[in-house]
Amino acid sequence: WRMTAFRECAVGIFAAVEVEQLSAQEVSRDDGPVTTMAIPRNKLCGLVAATFTPMTQDNEINLSVIGQYVDYLVKVQGIKNIFVNGTTGEGLSLTVEERKLLAEEWISQGKDKLDQVIIHVGSLSIKESQQLAKHAAEYNASGIAVISPFFFKPQSIEALTEFLKEVASAAPSTPFYYYHLPEFTGVSLNMVELLDGIEKRIPTFQGIKFTSSDLLEFGQCVHKYQDRYALLYGKDEVLLSAMVLGASGAVGSTYNYIGNLCNKMLTVTEKGDFNMAREYQAVVQEFIGSVNRFGFGVAENKVTMILVSGIPLGPPRLPLLECSEEKRAKILAKLKILGILT
């Protein structure tokens, strides 16, 4: 048996892009069908870091360190794909203008260094999502992703699909992903049902960022649609299980600072060395399990990145409180015990 979901490239890091070509398709519009041009499809594979948003001590976005951040991901962690303005990046705590500025800077700094820059454009307002989607497309983002609205929630697959279709229509040539996060959004619709026939409604649909512990549902998605869509798993602590099921890749916050370790796990798994793969996964689980016991949210995660990378990322934005000194000390101690930080 050989795992083929992750492809290893010549330098030992997993290849990020498999280029396909979508054939010309008809998109349904109010004024009749419109035939679109063929759209390049970039299949996202391997590890994708969900980036933190750098802040100043005055709680303003800090664009000045993003170049340093990109270099750290590529040169130290072996990460060449990023997911911007998502949960880790506090995207929904940012203004539309801030999100645009961040998207521009990540895309600019990542040019010729990163393989893919995916911009999360989800919002409670469909108009804001469309505005952000159009902007990301104008700046040549590799793709856009959208989380479900979670105040007024879609109550059916039809409602969710219609919402996603309208957002995707604002960027008709940009690969589109759905960000499935039921534990936060309360939207627990079945993803197999979402994937069934979605390409007829959303020609640019590329795949799902599946951030749920429901490996049964994820496995069913993979079994049915592995060859058609990028199925990206979002629970770092059980990545190995998702890989065995056939995940195309993974999007997570810990890949910012233990991406190198997780890339090693992917490499040995590709070689069939599951004993070593379990050892690498155990390190990730020991860290996440340990810090979760005293509360490990975005603030604590951000401090971990600061401790490991040395990049001044600043505090989180309210309503999130800064990580306490006590928690910081515990995180630092655990990083040293596990050998993540020496």
Side-chain angles (χ1 to χ4, degrees):
W1 180 83
R2 182 175 181 271
M3 192 191 78
T4 57
F6 291 80
R7 307 289 178 87
E8 192 176 11
C9 72
V11 296
I13 300 170
F14 285 80
V17 183
E18 295 178 354
V19 180
E20 302 172 355
Q21 194 75 17
L22 291 177
S23 59
Q25 302 182 53
E26 287 192 343
V27 182
S28 180
R29 296 277 174 82
D30 291 341
D31 54 352
V34 177
T35 301
T36 65
M37 295 180 63
I39 301 166
R41 170 167 285 190
N42 301 319
K43 191 172 183 181
L44 190 55
C45 301
L47 298 182
V48 183
T51 55
F52 298 95
T53 292
M55 295 278 187
T56 66
Q57 290 304 313
D58 296 328
N59 231 235
E60 299 296 330
I61 59 171
N62 183 7
L63 302 178
S64 67
V65 302
I66 289 178
Q68 178 187 357
Y69 195 157
V70 168
D71 288 341
Y72 174 80
L73 289 176
V74 174
K75 296 176 182 178
V76 179
Q77 297 298 338
I79 298 294
K80 301 193 73 175
N81 308 291
I82 60 173
F83 188 93
V84 175
N85 292 340
T87 306
T88 302
E90 303 173 74
L92 291 167
S93 293
L94 305 171
T95 67
V96 168
E97 186 57 31
E98 286 174 328
R99 292 173 72 172
K100 287 181 177 180
L101 290 170
L102 285 159
E104 291 171 23
E105 191 66 14
W106 280 109
I107 292 168
S108 173
Q109 293 295 336
K111 185 176 173 59
D112 300 324
K113 295 179 181 179
L114 297 173
D115 289 329
Q116 293 212 42
V117 179
I118 308 299
I119 305 297
H120 174 246
V121 300
S123 170
L124 297 184
S125 163
I126 190 169
K127 293 297 183 182
E128 287 184 357
S129 284
Q130 289 174 319
Q131 185 180 346
L132 288 164
K134 182 180 179 183
H135 173 268
E138 289 172 349
Y139 280 83
N140 295 315
S142 310
I144 55 174
V146 176
I147 200 169
S148 170
F150 49 86
F151 188 80
F152 294 115
K153 300 178 178 69
Q155 300 297 316
S156 65
I157 290 294
E158 173 61 27
L160 177 59
T161 303
E162 189 64 20
F163 173 82
L164 299 179
K165 179 172 77 84
E166 289 303 310
V167 176
S169 70
S173 297
T174 303
F176 183 88
Y177 299 84
Y178 175 54
Y179 180 9
H180 181 53
L181 186 61
E183 293 167 18
F184 275 48
T185 64
V187 178
S188 300
L189 300 170
N190 186 277
M191 290 299 97
V192 178
E193 294 179 17
L194 177 72
L195 292 173
D196 287 342
I198 196 169
E199 76 281 355
K200 296 176 183 176
R201 304 280 295 277
I202 307 173
T204 53
F205 189 85
Q206 179 87 9
I208 293 178
K209 178 189 175 188
F210 191 102
T211 307
S212 166
S213 299
D214 191 344
L215 284 167
L216 168 61
E217 185 178 323
F218 182 71
Q220 291 173 328
C221 290
V222 172
H223 180 70
K224 194 168 184 180
Y225 288 110
Q226 181 181 27
D227 294 335
R228 188 177 303 178
Y229 301 123
L231 299 169
L232 309 163
Y233 197 63
K235 291 282 188 179
D236 308 10
E237 62 271 26
V238 286
L239 171 58
L240 182 57
S241 299
M243 289 168 59
V244 172
L245 285 172
S248 310
V251 183
S253 58
T254 66
Y255 310 138
N256 284 282
Y257 50 83
I258 53 173
N260 189 39
L261 183 150
C262 292
N263 267 321
K264 289 177 181 177
M265 180 173 71
L266 304 191
T267 299
V268 297
T269 303
E270 178 75 12
K271 294 176 179 178
D273 187 350
F274 291 103
N275 288 331
M276 194 69 241
R278 283 192 291 269
E279 290 298 316
Y280 285 125
Q281 183 71 94
V283 174
V284 179
Q285 291 177 333
E286 176 61 25
F287 177 70
I288 294 176
S290 174
V291 295
N292 273 346
R293 285 193 282 274
F294 58 78
F296 192 70
V298 170
E300 292 75 24
N301 210 353
K302 199 172 193 181
V303 160
T304 305
M305 177 61 173
I306 294 169
L307 289 170
V308 177
S309 70
I311 301 171
L313 296 176
R317 179 169 284 182
L318 289 169
L320 299 179
L321 298 176
E322 288 193 58
C323 177
S324 69
E325 286 302 317
E326 180 185 5
K327 286 185 179 181
R328 183 188 180 97
K330 289 180 178 179
I331 292 168
L332 179 59
K334 197 65 182 180
L335 289 169
K336 288 182 176 179
I337 290 170
L338 293 173
I340 297 170
L341 190 62
T342 55

